[in-house]
Amino acid sequence: MSGRDPRAPGWSRLLGRGLLTLAAVAFLTVFLLLPLATVFVEALRQGMGAFFASIGQDEARSAIALTLLVAAIAVPLNLVFGIAAAWVMARFEFRGKALLGAFIDLPFSVSPVVSGLVYVLLFGAQGWFGPWLESHGIGIIFAVPGLVLATMFITLPFVARELIPLMQAQGNEEEEAARVLGASGWQMFFRVTLPNIRWALLYGVLLCNARAMGEFGAVSVVSGHIRGLTTTIPLEVEMRYNEYDYVGAFAVASLLALLALLTLVVKSLLEWRYGGELALHAPGGR
Amino acid sequence: MRRRRILPGFNLGLGYSLAYLGLIVLLPLAALAWKASGLGFDGLVRLLRVPRTLAALKLSFGGAALAAAINVVVGLLVAWVLVRYPFPGRRLFDAVVDLPFALPTAVAGIALTALYAPNGWIGQWLAAVGIQVAYTPLGVLVAMVFVGFPFVVRTLQPVLESLERDVEEAAETLGAWRWQVFLKVILPMLAPTLLTGFALALARAVGEYGSVIFIAGNIPMKSEIAPLLIVQNLEQFDYAGAAALGVAMLAFSFVLLLAITLLQRWSHRWAEGAP
């Protein structure tokens, strides 16, 4: 494989480079791009008419509305948590800081199914609060609040994970200067901190939102799959697929695939344009 | 310890973070631990030793370990090419690496199934040589490789970029062959990073649900993964069985999370202390 004389970039070395590059590109194309292409090909298998008919159905519309609702609650809440947690983690030293960091990361390493299971054990009919909730007529499991909670659990780390390394790298000086010059806490936050972290914040919200809208495992456990009431887009994909409505399943799935593509494009643009202000971060945007 | 702080918001930030984490993450996890502790250690072991459960755990852990190992090899190749060899379209392919992160798991699941089914684009070629991927343990492996792939590449890239080339050049000047340089100089320097990537890909694949269940076929004792068994236990109102499996998987997550933290610390020190 390799050149006899390593100092001369001979043809054999160029050939080796070419072959390695070809292998990498071939893998990425067959293994990652082809599944993406499949989604759109299968969705359009019976033409545009069938495609639009199946995403225009009532169940699809209510699934889209529910997905947007869940993300609209979960993402802002995790945004506020992310800022609060990053502020504490990046600006202060305190006992138990490493433990707090580990807890913030925890949802990333828990199986989505386990994330759903814990809420069933907490709020389900046989759970800790199940009997009390039932006697008061409050439904969490097999209802929208359960979907929101499971999504919050799964997407909790995204914003904090983007902000912590960036804010640590930026240091305390600018904010301390603002305080010394007489700014109030909130003035300092809105005029110094927020402008400094805006692109990383957007980046974190982007990833958080993509996961919130696409989450399947955790949501599947707490949903109960009640059509029109507790099915988000990914659950609608599953139900259609299990009913052998392949075109319908891929049609709805293609909406999520478009969201994924949009997320990747915006993410890449942010990385190219504002790479320095993102402080590229721990592996796995996840 | 109690030096006066110039910056405000410590108590507010910490209080809010802890309350939110407590409600959303810790309280629910405590419910699982409580449910499992009610079974007692013997009860837990008895529930996990049911042959069907054991088979599912074996497939989830074995498949995930194999998938992570495959990802280490392929991920190293892809990361190496993306960092070292400029080629047209490199930025595009670099962005493509994140596809498994961005594509919702259910979508990836049905797409992989369509692709690898015996009449699919890839499946028909494999069927011609007698290999069936969809609805077999091999399908589980394919899905697990897919979801874990970005972890190894994204862990390796920054380390490869910062790798000092003088060591390689010195070895080459001393007459080492290209593959000798790779095996004896580059690979040892990358070892902690490769292990970190392995652990991250493993953690993801063990718990993976959405992308696996469609392609797996879910045949009990054969191609049924542990998370699916949790879902089925819940559907049959077998909360004890679900909690036993859930707590076993959670314990494994904790151990892996600890290992990843230690590995990352090690590789940072390795990177800083490297000659």
Side-chain angles (χ1 to χ4, degrees):
Chain A
M1 261 296 279
S2 61
R4 294 259 153 184
D5 180 3
R7 273 148 297 184
W11 62 270
S12 64
R13 194 151 173 190
L14 284 176
L15 185 72
R17 280 184 173 212
L19 286 176
L20 287 180
T21 309
L22 206 64
V25 167
F27 176 83
L28 291 173
T29 307
V30 171
F31 212 72
L32 302 187
L33 280 177
L34 217 50
L36 181 68
T38 305
V39 176
F40 297 106
V41 171
E42 294 287 332
L44 296 170
R45 187 162 283 256
Q46 288 168 15
M48 294 296 263
F51 173 81
F52 283 112
S54 52
I55 55 173
Q57 285 170 356
D58 284 347
E59 309 93 76
R61 279 194 211 168
S62 67
I64 294 169
L66 182 58
T67 302
L68 293 175
L69 174 71
V70 168
I73 301 171
V75 174
L77 284 172
N78 280 340
L79 166 73
V80 174
F81 165 76
I83 293 176
W87 177 254
V88 175
M89 288 291 291
R91 292 289 176 263
F92 302 97
E93 292 303 326
F94 55 95
R95 231 175 294 157
K97 185 171 159 175
L99 195 65
L100 180 62
F103 281 144
I104 294 172
D105 273 343
L106 193 57
F108 273 161
S109 47
V110 175
S111 168
V113 169
V114 174
S115 315
L117 169 71
V118 293
Y119 283 105
V120 174
L121 294 177
L122 198 59
F123 297 122
Q126 300 199 1
W128 268 356
F129 301 121
W132 186 87
L133 289 169
E134 206 167 342
S135 67
H136 287 73
I138 305 169
I140 291 186
I141 300 305
F142 305 152
V144 177
L147 299 176
V148 174
L149 284 171
T151 306
M152 281 164 69
F153 182 107
I154 290 282
T155 58
L156 181 134
F158 281 97
V159 175
R161 272 295 111 195
E162 292 307 323
L163 293 185
I164 292 169
L166 175 73
M167 288 172 72
Q168 274 171 342
Q170 284 174 343
N172 296 2
E173 288 84 4
E174 287 187 34
E175 279 130 351
E176 284 174 356
R179 287 293 282 170
V180 171
L181 292 173
S184 76
W186 292 112
Q187 275 177 332
M188 172 211 69
F189 176 74
F190 284 109
R191 304 228 178 127
V192 180
T193 310
L194 210 51
N196 276 344
I197 60 170
R198 60 191 163 175
W199 296 116
L201 196 62
L202 181 61
Y203 191 93
V205 166
L206 187 75
L207 298 181
C208 182
N209 179 66
R211 184 66 193 264
M213 291 189 171
E215 177 51 27
F216 175 69
V219 167
S220 163
V221 172
V222 296
S223 143
H225 296 79
I226 308 163
R227 264 242 162 94
L229 287 178
T230 64
T231 45
T232 58
I233 304 177
L235 296 173
E236 184 67 22
V237 170
E238 181 200 21
M239 290 177 79
R240 289 182 176 203
Y241 191 86
N242 289 342
E243 289 158 2
Y244 304 103
D245 174 11
Y246 293 132
V247 169
F250 278 103
V252 188
S254 71
L255 298 177
L256 290 173
L258 281 176
L259 173 74
L261 276 179
L262 185 71
T263 303
L264 279 187
V265 169
V266 178
K267 177 175 173 292
S268 302
L269 286 177
L270 282 174
E271 281 168 9
W272 296 339
R273 183 87 177 71
Y274 303 104
E277 292 172 61
L278 293 175
L280 294 172
H281 43 83
R286 277 181 279 188
Chain B
M1 181 75 199
R2 278 262 151 215
R3 202 169 58 84
R4 250 192 78 75
R5 297 185 168 105
I6 301 174
L7 293 179
F10 176 72
N11 290 331
L12 178 68
L14 187 66
Y16 184 79
S17 303
L18 286 178
Y20 191 86
L21 260 177
L23 281 174
I24 302 297
V25 178
L26 299 180
L27 180 71
L29 289 179
L32 173 61
W34 166 76
K35 182 82 192 167
S37 70
L39 302 167
F41 186 73
D42 292 340
L44 200 67
V45 171
R46 195 165 37 78
L47 282 169
L48 291 178
R49 284 185 60 186
V50 175
R52 185 170 166 190
T53 308
L54 217 51
L57 283 170
K58 247 185 225 167
L59 179 63
S60 276
F61 286 99
L66 189 56
I70 293 172
N71 274 329
V72 164
V73 177
V74 184
L76 176 59
L77 166 73
V78 171
W80 181 264
V81 167
L82 286 176
V83 170
R84 286 288 175 96
Y85 305 153
F87 64 94
R90 181 165 73 161
R91 274 186 163 182
L92 176 75
F93 281 102
D94 189 70
V96 164
V97 170
D98 278 335
L99 207 53
F101 283 155
L103 201 62
T105 55
V107 180
I110 62 170
L112 288 173
T113 312
L115 212 48
Y116 288 92
N119 58 356
W121 284 349
I122 297 178
Q124 56 181 320
W125 298 106
L126 294 172
V129 292
I131 301 171
Q132 198 190 339
V133 176
Y135 321 123
T136 70
L138 205 55
V140 176
L141 187 68
V142 167
M144 284 176 165
V145 172
F146 181 85
V147 294
F149 177 71
F151 290 97
V152 178
V153 179
R154 292 294 182 237
T155 315
L156 273 171
Q157 270 176 324
V159 179
L160 279 176
E161 268 158 18
S162 66
L163 214 59
E164 299 285 342
R165 294 207 189 184
D166 11 340
V167 190
E168 289 169 53
E169 279 162 17
E172 287 190 22
T173 320
L174 294 171
W177 286 11
R178 203 56 199 145
W179 60 268
Q180 280 179 320
V181 176
F182 182 78
L183 282 181
K184 300 212 169 144
V185 180
I186 298 170
L187 216 49
M189 287 201 281
L190 294 178
T193 317
L194 286 170
L195 265 175
T196 310
F198 177 85
L200 286 168
L202 177 68
R204 176 65 201 261
V206 162
E208 181 55 26
Y209 176 70
S211 51
V212 176
I213 55 163
F214 297 100
I215 198 172
N218 308 324
I219 308 154
M221 303 295 298
K222 215 182 139 212
S223 63
E224 194 176 54
I225 53 165
L228 179 74
L229 214 50
I230 294 181
V231 172
Q232 293 189 343
N233 283 338
L234 280 177
E235 278 168 3
Q236 292 155 11
F237 305 105
D238 176 8
Y239 291 94
L245 259 174
V247 90
M249 301 205 66
L250 190 65
F252 184 73
S253 306
F254 275 128
V255 172
L256 261 186
L257 189 64
L258 184 70
I260 291 167
T261 312
L262 293 177
L263 274 169
Q264 273 167 344
R265 221 172 269 174
W266 179 36
S267 55
H268 277 300
R269 221 179 319 137
W270 189 277
E272 279 159 18

